[in-house]
Amino acid sequence: NAGVMQNPRHLVRRRGQEARLRCSPMKGHSHVYWYRQLPEEGLKFMVYLQKENIIDESGMPKERFSAEFPKEGPSILRIQQVVRGDSAAYFCASSPPLQGRGAEAFFGQGTRLTVV
Amino acid sequence: AQSVTQLDSQVPVFEEAPVELRCNYSSSVSVYLFWYVQYPNQGLQLLLKYLSGSTLVKGINGFEAEFNKSQTSFHLRKPSVHISDTAEYFCAVMGGADGLTFGKGTHLIIQP
């Protein structure tokens, strides 16, 4: 059973381009979380998704950022018209259906986005 | 809403000495508590978790944590650290309808 797969591991974009980050959860996991990590700031929650539903997007910037988790395929975090301040490591985590919310979240290796 | 406070951004410790990394949380509902470790350029790995039952939880790599409801704390401890424990440690809370909320992390620095 492969772990949470994120790709690409490293992504370089020029200002104004679009960045697309992919996350394939572990098999059987229907819940996905996206976090952003900036140096010295720890992990910032962005969005929590279940299949075809956004459960909580309170951490997502109102503009340029969107996320989806379709019925088939990976979860996608999309950043339009990137700016230098978007440079960060973006981590995805997945967990199984929460019959009891103590389900462990498994993390991917992250995508390091650099905007030049 | 829930939140997590990790009181120390950095903790330097000599090798083979004991260490405690502090974590306090706030939530209006019952919570589950987690400690994760992040090695350089890696994702996060679960060290241990508290769901219910015994308040002393043992995890991997010799770490343990104690849940204290009255003090809303979940401090992480290890009796003797090794150089390989150098990493960033994150405390996290999950409760109610909220997802997983992390603290800002504590950088554990092991000095030879």
Side-chain angles (χ1 to χ4, degrees):
Chain A
N1 186 8
V4 177
M5 303 300 291
Q6 287 188 251
N7 67 82
R9 288 292 306 276
H10 300 274
L11 181 62
V12 179
R13 285 287 177 266
R14 295 186 186 282
R15 281 179 293 170
Q17 290 185 319
E18 179 180 283
R20 224 175 243 237
L21 287 63
R22 292 175 187 76
C23 170
S24 297
M26 288 180 71
K27 189 176 180 181
H29 287 195
S30 56
H31 297 244
V32 165
Y33 305 83
W34 284 94
Y35 292 86
R36 177 164 61 178
Q37 186 175 37
L38 291 162
E40 312 303 327
E41 289 195 20
L43 285 158
K44 297 281 190 183
F45 168 77
M46 298 184 75
V47 63
Y48 167 32
L49 309 114
Q50 294 178 22
K51 287 277 187 183
E52 300 184 279
N53 281 309
I54 296 175
I55 305 303
D56 179 358
E57 57 181 346
S58 59
M60 288 274 274
K62 294 287 187 285
E63 296 177 351
R64 302 187 298 109
F65 285 72
S66 63
E68 62 178 10
F69 188 18
K71 188 176 179 181
E72 301 291 337
S75 175
I76 306 286
L77 178 67
R78 185 184 291 114
I79 311 172
Q80 295 178 305
Q81 299 174 334
V82 297
V83 301
R84 287 229 169 99
D86 297 332
S87 295
Y90 292 82
F91 287 95
C92 168
S94 73
S95 67
L98 299 177
Q99 305 129 349
R101 291 184 59 89
E104 175 185 346
F106 291 80
F107 279 79
Q109 300 276 16
T111 293
R112 279 153 184 85
L113 172 65
T114 302
V115 179
V116 297
Chain B
Q2 60 196 22
S3 66
V4 178
T5 302
Q6 289 185 244
L7 297 163
D8 306 298
S9 59
Q10 279 193 110
V11 173
V13 181
F14 286 107
E15 197 170 9
E16 298 184 7
V19 69
E20 178 179 83
L21 306 183
R22 296 181 291 170
C23 171
N24 288 87
Y25 69 93
S26 69
S27 175
S28 57
V29 299
S30 296
V31 296
Y32 300 111
L33 294 155
F34 305 80
W35 274 99
Y36 282 83
V37 60
Q38 184 183 29
Y39 299 103
N41 298 314
Q42 299 290 317
L44 276 72
Q45 178 183 358
L46 183 70
L47 272 179
L48 48 77
K49 62 181 176 181
Y50 171 79
L51 306 181
S52 65
S54 172
T55 57
L56 183 63
V57 180
K58 293 193 183 296
I60 62 170
N61 300 341
F63 284 92
E64 63 181 32
E66 185 151 22
F67 170 55
N68 187 319
K69 189 175 181 179
S70 62
Q71 297 187 5
T72 60
S73 69
F74 191 53
H75 300 333
L76 181 71
R77 301 186 186 103
K78 185 168 182 178
S80 175
V81 295
H82 190 266
I83 200 84
S84 60
D85 292 322
T86 297
E88 194 83 16
Y89 291 80
F90 293 93
C91 180
V93 63
M94 177 187 285
D98 294 329
L100 200 56
T101 300
F102 284 86
K104 289 194 173 184
T106 297
H107 189 196
L108 178 60
I109 302 167
I110 309 300
Q111 301 168 327

